[in-house]
Amino acid sequence: MMIDKIESHLNAKFPDALSNVAAGDRHVIFAVEQKESYPVLGELKSIGFDHLSDVTAVDYIDQQEFELIYHLRSHQQRIRALMKVRIPRQSPVASSVTALWGGAQMHEREIHELFGIDFLGNPDLSELFLEDWEEIPPFRKDFDTRKYVKEEYYGDEEQYPVVKG
Amino acid sequence: MSFLTIPFGPQHPAAGHFHALIKVDGETVLGLDPYPGYLHRGFEKLMEYRVHTQNCMLLDRICILDPLSNEAGYVNAVEEIGRLEVPVRAKYIRTIMLELGRILSHISWIGEMGMALGFDSACRIAWGDRERIIRLNEIISGGRIYPVLFCVGGVRRDISPEFVDKSYEALDYLERQLEFYDSFFFKNETFIMRTKGVGKLGASEAVDLGVTGPNLRACGVDYDIRQDEPYEAYPEVNFKVVTREEGDAYARCLCRRGEIAESISIVRQLLKDVPGGPHRVQLDPMYKTPEGESHFCVEAARGELCFHVVSDGSPIPYRVKVRGPSFSHSLVAFPYLAEGSTIADIPVIYWSLAPCPADMDR
């Protein structure tokens, strides 16, 4: 199946679900509504997108939304598909795709830790890289790394005096 | 059922800052839980505070043994957003350096694999040979381990006749060494006994777990981004994608050995006719990319390396996501393969996957 065929195939299966479709020479990119996301991913898997390369989250704080980007590749057809889905920032919950791609479990666990997005159906969303983290998830836009480092490591000026050159 | 829990890592020589708890019953491994994070520096977040020129400095640190692939992925993603045309000479220099980086990474891996097998002389010899390529890095960029050579719009420094001569010298030397490695390492009876049939991975399982690079090619899937989605000067060179069918640790090792030979041939082809012209487009250090996003994948030595860069029109990226190859290898494939194996095979399985904890944690 060629890149332009994927769009027409998905449009036939899920009328009016796809938006912002852009096809390049390497990949096709499109966005879907949250309620369509799991069925569309299932369909992509069944037409040969067997490699889940990555799951990315982007924090669009101005629009109060998170964007999840699923990076898929089909090894037989040698093409990529990027599917974007927006979820509300206030109640960030998405369905887990662990049942479709075994490798998804760790990607979702990482996003859960760094962005605080919940994945329903993921068997293990415990801490991955961080330890005893009590602040807001650190990759969100409202977490200021520089302020945190200053307060955490340089806060007590008597104990850690700032050396001025 | 009674079992014993023993730690693997995070001391450097055995696991490279990777920590896992292994549940064993006698010799048999019942399960393995990875506990990463010892090298988590939060690069993706740090890049949201810095301009592209500064980010090139950070990128090298993502994977210590294969720094240039990270630079290539990021600068290509930024150039794609900015629709920048890179001079052909820069593309050639980048490809030469990327392939030298691949040889460097694979030779370091021979050392690590030797260490996993208790074959310390392999480690000493391989890490000594690695120095040949580190010196080339130093000649072209001034940096030995972290060259920080690529920049948005080209490469920071041009190649000199001295670099070309020394490169040929190093390639000739490494080609001779490769035969030596064959005789004392790859055809060694002990090496074959310890790796053959160990950590066997089927093609469909490997794809499901997100395994890429030489590890996937050892299962018979010929997925190589240099061939499927060629970037830089890869369309100009002839090379063979090394694949094997067995999918065990032995096949993964031989795939890497084959790739060193292919990379030597690629560098020779490129060094023969590097086109003239400028080696970079001079850009403002505070270069602003237009609003947009791009996704760029490169074939790093250890597998598929993708950069997703989102730009909001300022000189600083809004979001950078790094998809490192080792994430799937050590966090997903390694626990999967460890289950049911024996304690003695754990280091062999781990290093045959060649993960880089620095790139897994980021």
Side-chain angles (χ1 to χ4, degrees):
Chain A
M1 194 177 290
M2 296 308 290
I3 284 179
D4 47 337
K5 294 270 174 58
I6 290 164
E7 189 193 343
S8 51
H9 178 85
L10 289 175
N11 272 332
K13 277 253 173 188
F14 305 96
D16 306 321
L18 274 61
S19 55
N20 297 334
V21 185
D25 46 355
R26 294 197 307 271
H27 46 46
V28 56
I29 308 173
F30 57 87
V32 295
E33 291 291 321
Q34 194 183 357
K35 61 179 192 305
E36 310 273 13
S37 89
Y38 194 83
V40 172
L41 284 170
E43 183 60 27
L44 284 168
K45 163 96 200 228
S46 72
I47 58 171
F49 285 90
D50 45 5
H51 173 50
L52 177 78
S53 165
D54 197 6
V55 186
T56 305
V58 187
D59 182 3
Y60 289 103
I61 192 163
D62 295 343
Q63 292 129 356
Q64 284 294 308
E65 278 177 325
F66 284 122
E67 188 173 74
L68 287 175
I69 309 169
Y70 293 87
H71 305 270
L72 305 171
R73 187 179 193 272
S74 161
H75 286 319
Q76 287 91 39
Q77 298 145 31
R78 297 171 199 270
I79 42 175
R80 285 179 195 279
L82 269 66
M83 194 195 89
K84 297 177 177 179
V85 55
R86 294 266 181 143
I87 55 173
R89 206 168 178 277
Q90 296 305 328
S91 54
V93 183
S95 346
S96 168
V97 293
T98 316
L100 299 173
W101 296 278
Q105 198 265 328
M106 279 291 170
H107 290 296
E108 290 176 351
R109 194 170 154 192
E110 184 195 336
I111 292 177
H112 172 76
E113 173 169 63
L114 300 176
F115 284 90
I117 299 173
D118 265 325
F119 289 91
L120 294 180
N122 191 312
D124 181 13
L125 287 173
S126 53
E127 281 184 325
L128 189 64
F129 298 134
L130 310 176
E131 202 171 22
D132 303 330
W133 186 258
E134 285 166 352
E135 312 272 327
I136 55 168
F139 277 27
R140 287 191 179 187
K141 279 284 172 188
D142 46 3
F143 177 80
D144 189 340
T145 311
R146 288 182 168 167
K147 188 164 152 262
Y148 174 77
V149 169
K150 210 172 167 198
E151 283 170 5
E152 185 74 13
Y153 301 107
Y154 302 93
D156 189 354
E157 287 218 7
E158 276 180 27
Q159 200 183 347
Y160 306 105
V162 179
V163 182
K164 288 184 177 111
Chain B
M1 193 162 117
S2 69
F3 59 81
L4 184 72
T5 309
I6 53 171
F8 175 71
Q11 292 88 345
H12 194 272
H17 300 315
F18 173 70
H19 178 51
L21 288 177
I22 313 171
K23 274 189 229 155
V24 288
D25 177 21
E27 271 286 293
T28 319
V29 176
L30 303 173
L32 185 145
D33 292 321
Y35 290 92
Y38 287 85
L39 277 167
H40 180 66
R41 294 145 291 176
F43 281 133
E44 292 170 8
K45 183 82 179 179
L46 294 178
M47 285 189 211
E48 291 172 16
Y49 289 89
R50 287 162 175 82
V51 298
H52 301 307
T53 325
Q54 292 171 310
N55 282 345
C56 287
M57 284 282 294
L58 287 182
L59 287 159
D60 276 358
R61 274 97 182 149
I62 292 178
C63 182
I64 298 137
L65 295 169
D66 187 19
L68 285 163
S69 302
N70 291 289
E71 292 185 30
Y74 181 79
V75 296
N76 271 294
V78 173
E79 281 156 6
E80 202 173 272
I81 299 177
R83 292 187 192 84
L84 277 173
E85 202 48 57
V86 180
V88 195
R89 187 176 175 81
K91 287 187 175 177
Y92 270 70
I93 298 173
R94 279 183 187 175
T95 317
I96 291 170
M97 293 312 292
L98 283 172
E99 285 308 310
L100 287 174
R102 190 180 313 278
I103 302 172
L104 175 89
S105 174
H106 283 346
I107 286 184
S108 320
W109 162 82
I110 292 178
E112 289 161 350
M113 192 70 206
M115 215 152 51
L117 297 164
F119 192 175
D120 274 1
S121 29
C123 178
R124 304 287 173 273
I125 294 166
W127 280 64
D129 289 344
R130 175 177 179 260
E131 183 68 21
R132 298 277 172 151
I133 297 177
I134 290 179
R135 280 185 199 155
L136 295 177
N137 278 349
E138 191 178 5
I139 294 170
I140 189 169
S141 70
R144 284 164 52 82
I145 309 292
Y146 299 132
V148 200
L149 181 66
F150 301 173
C151 57
V152 178
V155 287
R156 243 176 356 100
R157 300 221 185 149
D158 204 351
I159 50 173
S160 59
E162 188 205 354
F163 174 83
V164 177
D165 292 345
K166 285 272 163 68
S167 297
Y168 278 125
E169 220 172 86
L171 293 176
D172 291 344
Y173 172 79
L174 290 171
E175 201 161 45
R176 284 197 306 277
Q177 277 303 91
L178 216 45
E179 284 169 23
F180 175 55
Y181 289 144
D182 275 346
S183 67
F184 94 102
F185 189 68
F186 290 106
K187 286 181 184 158
N188 188 317
E189 196 71 16
T190 318
F191 168 79
I192 296 171
M193 275 165 66
R194 289 291 307 275
T195 52
K196 223 169 198 169
V198 173
K200 211 166 161 47
L201 204 54
S204 58
E205 292 169 285
V207 171
D208 183 55
L209 298 174
V211 172
T212 53
N215 297 337
L216 184 63
R217 292 194 281 275
C219 307
V221 182
D222 67 334
Y223 169 40
D224 189 323
I225 301 170
R226 294 176 293 169
Q227 171 197 263
D228 295 344
E229 300 155 23
Y231 49 98
E232 307 294 9
Y234 285 114
E236 318 297 325
V237 289
N238 292 316
F239 64 97
K240 194 172 102 245
V241 177
V242 183
T243 55
R244 285 186 79 87
E245 296 299 325
E246 304 96 308
D248 55 0
Y250 181 67
R252 292 195 277 274
C253 295
L254 289 196
C255 264
R256 291 202 175 78
R257 189 247 167 261
E259 282 186 15
I260 300 176
E262 285 299 320
S263 293
I264 291 175
S265 134
I266 295 176
V267 179
R268 284 219 181 101
Q269 289 175 45
L270 289 166
L271 279 173
K272 236 182 353 203
D273 48 3
V274 180
H279 63 280
R280 70 185 289 186
V281 187
Q282 201 67 43
L283 293 170
D284 181 4
M286 296 294 280
Y287 169 67
K288 278 185 194 160
T289 42
E291 209 172 308
E293 59 188 282
S294 82
H295 178 69
F296 202 92
C297 298
V298 295
E299 185 71 29
R302 280 144 212 268
E304 180 191 63
L305 174 69
C306 302
F307 275 80
H308 194 96
V309 181
V310 181
S311 164
D312 59 353
S314 70
I316 294 166
Y318 186 76
R319 165 97 168 108
V320 182
K321 167 75 197 207
V322 189
R323 188 261 184 227
S326 305
F327 187 84
S328 304
H329 293 164
S330 48
L331 294 182
V332 187
F334 178 48
Y336 177 81
L337 289 174
E339 211 177 309
S341 68
T342 58
I343 304 177
D345 283 343
I346 292 285
V348 177
I349 295 172
Y350 182 70
W351 284 115
S352 74
L353 292 166
C356 174
D359 138 54
M360 168 186 75
D361 289 354
R362 303 179 302 268

